[in-house]
Amino acid sequence: MKKLATLFFLLFAMFISQAQVKEPVKWTSKIEKKSATEYILVFSATIENDWHMYSQFSDENGAIPLEVVFNNAKGNYTAVGKAAESKTEKAFNDVFGVTETFWSHNAQLKQTVKITNPANEVIQVELDYQVCKEVCIQGSNLFEFNTKSLAAKEVKNFSAVSVTTTKKDELTAVKADTAIQSSTTQVTEQPSTAQDTAKTATASATSKTEKSKPADEESTSPLKIFLLTLLAGIGVTFTPCVFPMIPMTVSFFIKQNASKSKGKFNALFYGICIIAIYVLLSVPFHVFEGLDKNIFADISTNVYLNIFFFLIFVTFAISFFGAFEITIPSSIANKADSASNLGGLIGVFFMALTLIIVSFSCTGPVLSFVFGTVLSSDGGAVLLTLGMFGFGLGLALPFMVFALFPSLMSGLPKSGGWLNTVKVVFGFIELALAFKFLSNADLVLQLHYLEREVFIAIWVAIFTALALYLFGKFLMPHDSPVPFLSVGRMLLGVIAFAFTVYLVPGLWGAPLKLLSGITPPLNYSESPLGFGGSANIAGATSNKLPDGAKVAVHGIIAFEDYDKGLAYAKQVNKPILLDFTGRACVNCRKMEEGVWVDPEVLAILKNDVVLISLYGDEQIELPENEQFISKFSGRKITTVGKKWSDFQLGRYNSNARPFYVLMGLDEKNLNEPVAYTPDIKEYLAWLQQGVENFK
């Protein structure tokens, strides 16, 4: 499994590189005394060739205008009007349908301020701006001026860039000496603007994809996998890496061809290529599955992979918060873009590949979640392919729909500061989900470091912070002050706060059924019998358990050894319920917390059957003399979990989790075994039938 973990590490490491930061604008500053109470702040910029920085008076419906933010003005000084600007240029952008105002080569701003608090000597001013070439860079530079010494200095620079390469000549909307190539740009980090509308659609992009079991007894339907990944794909279109590309790319295809029908066909083919590329990423896993039928069951409980996914999610979360930018190396993007110049359908294919590469910083976290959840399930390669198809379709749909109906683009919201808010919300959700993978590793190893209370406390902290962020109580690196809350941001904040309130009772033993399978099980807790509570343990006299038994969820006696459980069943003359389960099995927890809790079901489990729970992911090493070579799989069985997985596969030809068998003392089935059965009445009827057949 170490080789397998290394293989998966390499597969994901291919997509991750160091942050790539460019600074095409260099700033200098100075302060001049105008009168006893007035000072002039001077900002001078040198702009690299072919780059354009947009004026504070540029149309906000095009590229993002420069903004001057006075950080410590309240009670200390006031700005006298808008900053005066050096000579600017203008050009019409037919993609956005506006005239944009910008600087080339050099720019200067002069801002007059009037001191209202003589005791204050420091003026802090932040310039938020956008500069574009084939890419757009969001700059946020902080300057500090001293009115006493007349000293000025630049304190911080938050410029960041994604490597975006497109067909420069063909996608340029305005072909003139002063043409602004904003039609080829992709916004990576949006600066602070008045627009701060959080898109609730991002919540669906990080919806939890439930684990499923294999083959003909799927516990999570393929339809659910498809719908959730489809929503995830649609959700990532509302990120800074993808959203600005939609009108630009669609306009390119439509304007490229004299025949509008051909342009629409190319745009549709572009979407199909996006889908095909994501589906192709799943092909290697079909090969892995062919080599080892149990590979996906091993993946679901592999400690190294779960820790790896935890680290990946934390890294992406920090990136989304604005600490750094994760991008694909520019050399890869440049090669794909060069290939797109071949023309024809091959060129369109490489344009789609270029989009996938350059948008990785936003799609990567969701894509890794799709991989992590489906691969760590028992769903197999088929469900992974279905999930990748759904994700690709969701991402491609906007490009295809707007190509067929271009008039709908007029209803698209303009790019703005709300895109950065979307990224930050993504970051909080990614951080919360990261702890699910860490919890899986802790459960498999039974370390009890991340017990239920600790896990829930972490989530309470994360979603409290998310609610406070949405309510504007603090800012992230690329945010600006929030003068007011938009309706969308306020509603999303209320949802985050309500979810936090829902979580809190879980610290004292509340079941939290909405999160069954995500939180650690109720008995994996500092207080397994509930806060200050006790359980009615059937079959135990004076709190003494039968030999080899443990107290399981809801106070049920359970054996984790087949032979000891069988011996006890013969002693008390009761039928046996074999529970093939896993420490990190989501649907197993859903059954325990959503079905077994039913009073009638629980009564049977406590009084009428002997429960034997066999954990297929138990990592305890078997003694040397008990290890063997499986006659079913040919693998060496070295752990308790592998022993029970091999036992299940050999006797019942199934590796599903959960998988339930009711059998008599002669070890013959009392009725047909069942897998994940979330319907309480159906499961109850199955239990009653087996018990009646035993009698």
Side-chain angles (χ1 to χ4, degrees):
M1 286 309 297
K2 289 183 179 179
K3 291 182 179 179
L4 181 62
T6 303
L7 173 63
F8 275 92
F9 176 83
L10 291 174
L11 285 172
F12 275 86
M14 288 171 58
F15 295 96
I16 299 176
S17 66
Q18 296 291 328
Q20 300 183 14
V21 178
K22 287 187 178 181
E23 296 180 29
V25 180
K26 302 295 184 183
W27 289 93
T28 59
S29 60
K30 64 180 180 179
I31 180 172
E32 300 172 353
K33 190 171 184 178
K34 185 177 180 180
S35 68
T37 58
E38 290 188 327
Y39 293 84
I40 299 174
L41 312 180
V42 182
F43 307 87
S44 299
T46 301
I47 307 167
E48 290 185 9
N49 291 338
D50 300 324
W51 290 84
H52 306 278
M53 183 171 67
Y54 297 89
S55 161
Q56 60 189 325
F57 303 108
S58 187
D59 193 311
E60 64 179 11
N61 292 315
I64 299 173
L66 180 144
E67 182 180 7
V68 183
V69 181
F70 302 95
N71 287 352
N72 64 331
K74 188 175 181 180
N76 295 317
Y77 60 91
T78 59
V80 181
K82 283 265 193 179
E85 297 183 348
S86 60
K87 186 178 178 181
T88 57
E89 304 171 53
K90 293 181 182 289
F92 183 75
N93 187 323
D94 62 356
V95 172
F96 295 111
V98 298
T99 297
E100 295 174 321
T101 306
F102 57 93
W103 291 280
S104 300
H105 306 300
N106 296 287
Q108 189 177 77
L109 296 168
K110 290 186 176 182
Q111 176 66 61
T112 301
V113 295
K114 185 174 184 179
I115 303 299
T116 57
N117 177 16
N120 180 66
E121 298 177 354
V122 176
I123 299 173
Q124 284 191 343
V125 180
E126 184 178 334
L127 298 184
D128 292 333
Y129 58 92
Q130 184 177 72
V131 57
C132 294
K133 188 182 176 184
E134 282 85 11
V135 299
C136 277
I137 294 176
Q138 306 313 135
S140 183
N141 294 56
L142 180 63
F143 300 87
E144 192 171 276
F145 302 89
N146 190 295
T147 57
K148 184 176 182 180
S149 63
L150 294 182
K153 64 179 179 179
E154 182 179 339
V155 181
K156 285 185 179 181
N157 182 326
F158 299 109
S159 295
V161 65
S162 75
V163 181
T164 305
T165 56
T166 55
K167 291 189 171 183
K168 176 179 177 181
D169 295 332
E170 296 176 286
L171 282 178
T172 303
V174 182
K175 295 183 178 180
D177 291 339
T178 59
I180 308 305
Q181 295 173 337
S182 60
S183 59
T184 65
T185 60
Q186 173 179 350
V187 181
T188 302
E189 295 289 344
Q190 293 296 339
S192 306
T193 67
Q195 298 178 1
D196 207 7
T197 306
K199 297 294 182 184
T200 57
T202 57
S204 66
T206 50
S207 297
K208 181 66 177 176
T209 306
E210 297 179 1
K211 296 184 179 179
S212 58
K213 64 184 191 57
D216 56 337
E217 300 176 84
E218 295 169 359
S219 59
T220 299
S221 71
L223 178 61
K224 180 180 284 187
I225 289 287
F226 172 73
L227 291 176
L228 288 175
T229 52
L230 176 68
L231 290 174
I234 294 173
V236 297
T237 63
F238 290 95
T239 60
C241 310
V242 180
F243 186 80
M245 296 299 293
I246 296 173
M248 301 172 192
T249 306
V250 172
S251 296
F252 162 68
F253 282 117
I254 294 176
K255 295 177 181 179
Q256 180 192 33
N257 299 279
S259 170
K260 287 190 177 181
S261 60
K262 184 178 180 181
K264 290 183 177 181
F265 173 80
N266 284 346
L268 290 174
F269 183 72
Y270 177 81
I272 292 171
C273 289
I274 292 174
I275 299 169
I277 292 169
Y278 280 115
V279 170
L280 286 172
L281 291 175
S282 69
V283 171
F285 298 95
H286 288 267
V287 178
F288 301 152
E289 188 176 40
L291 296 174
D292 185 353
K293 188 176 181 180
N294 287 310
I295 190 169
F296 289 97
D298 292 340
I299 290 173
S300 68
T301 56
N302 184 276
V303 172
Y304 301 106
L305 283 177
N306 276 288
I307 293 176
F308 172 66
F309 278 120
F310 165 74
L311 295 175
I312 285 292
F313 273 50
V314 170
T315 301
F316 274 121
I318 295 173
S319 171
F320 273 24
F321 291 151
F324 52 83
E325 189 73 17
I326 297 176
T327 63
I328 295 292
S330 59
S331 58
I332 297 176
N334 290 336
K335 288 180 181 179
D337 181 60
S338 297
S340 70
N341 289 314
L342 293 173
L345 297 182
I346 295 177
V348 174
F349 172 82
F350 280 101
M351 285 186 67
L353 180 61
T354 302
L355 171 73
I356 290 172
I357 291 172
V358 300
S359 64
F360 176 75
S361 62
C362 293
T363 61
V366 182
L367 189 61
S368 65
F369 180 72
V370 173
F371 266 88
T373 52
V374 179
L375 281 180
S376 63
S377 75
D378 301 314
V382 173
L383 278 188
L384 176 62
T385 298
L386 183 63
M388 296 302 286
F389 174 77
F391 181 81
L393 178 62
L395 182 60
L397 266 179
F399 295 93
M400 301 168 77
V401 170
F402 289 119
L404 291 175
F405 308 101
S407 60
L408 294 178
M409 284 196 294
S410 60
L412 279 177
K414 300 297 181 181
S415 299
W418 63 268
L419 288 172
N420 191 66
T421 301
V422 169
K423 284 192 71 174
V424 173
V425 172
F426 258 116
F428 279 108
I429 296 174
E430 287 283 329
L431 186 61
L433 294 176
F435 284 93
K436 171 56 186 169
F437 291 102
L438 187 62
S439 173
N440 286 345
D442 185 68
L443 283 165
V444 170
L445 294 176
Q446 291 289 286
L447 297 176
H448 288 268
Y449 290 147
L450 198 59
E451 291 182 321
R452 185 178 175 88
E453 293 90 344
V454 178
F455 182 94
I456 293 173
I458 291 171
W459 271 40
V460 167
I462 291 172
F463 284 98
T464 297
L466 173 58
L468 292 174
Y469 170 75
L470 290 170
F471 288 138
K473 298 302 181 182
F474 66 91
L475 303 173
M476 301 304 281
H478 298 290
D479 289 329
S480 62
V482 181
F484 63 89
L485 291 183
S486 65
V487 174
R489 183 166 183 155
M490 183 273 294
L491 291 176
L492 197 57
V494 169
I495 292 172
F497 181 70
F499 183 67
T500 304
V501 173
Y502 172 77
L503 288 171
V504 171
L507 296 170
W508 288 273
L512 304 182
K513 289 186 179 182
L514 289 178
L515 299 176
S516 293
I518 298 177
T519 59
L522 289 164
N523 60 325
Y524 195 76
S525 165
E526 295 178 5
S527 304
L529 302 181
F531 181 73
S534 61
N536 174 25
I537 304 174
T541 305
S542 301
N543 294 326
K544 184 178 180 180
L545 293 170
D547 181 43
K550 294 182 177 180
V551 178
V553 65
H554 310 309
I556 306 167
I557 285 184
F559 292 83
E560 295 181 7
D561 182 275
Y562 180 83
D563 294 328
K564 290 182 179 180
L566 177 60
Y568 181 74
K570 291 179 178 179
Q571 177 185 332
V572 297
N573 192 34
K574 290 182 180 180
I576 297 165
L577 173 60
L578 278 183
D579 167 31
F580 291 98
T581 183
R583 302 288 185 191
C585 170
V586 170
N587 286 326
C588 303
R589 303 293 88 77
K590 285 180 174 291
M591 287 294 296
E592 293 166 3
E593 298 171 15
V595 177
W596 286 13
V597 74
D598 177 78
E600 291 184 84
V601 172
L602 188 57
I604 293 176
L605 297 178
K606 282 189 172 184
N607 304 311
D608 299 335
V609 299
V610 172
L611 177 64
I612 303 178
S613 295
L614 304 178
Y615 289 86
D617 55 5
E618 186 65 76
Q619 297 296 302
I620 298 174
E621 289 282 333
L622 288 168
E624 190 71 30
N625 63 339
E626 293 183 20
Q627 297 181 10
F628 61 95
I629 302 297
S630 169
K631 62 181 179 180
F632 305 108
S633 65
R635 297 192 306 170
K636 186 175 182 180
I637 305 303
T638 58
T639 66
V640 172
K642 290 180 179 178
K643 173 185 175 181
W644 298 133
S645 292
D646 187 72
F647 173 70
Q648 179 188 0
L649 187 63
R651 179 175 288 193
Y652 301 106
N653 192 32
S654 171
N655 60 353
R657 297 174 194 161
F659 188 74
Y660 303 106
V661 181
L662 274 170
M663 69 181 196
L665 302 180
D666 57 359
E667 300 182 64
K668 293 182 179 179
N669 294 353
L670 296 170
N671 53 6
E672 193 70 23
V674 298
Y676 178 64
T677 311
D679 186 282
I680 294 176
K681 291 183 179 179
E682 182 181 346
Y683 190 75
L684 176 61
W686 176 79
L687 283 175
Q688 291 171 334
Q689 180 193 42
V691 172
E692 190 62 31
N693 290 343
F694 176 81
K695 292 179 181 179

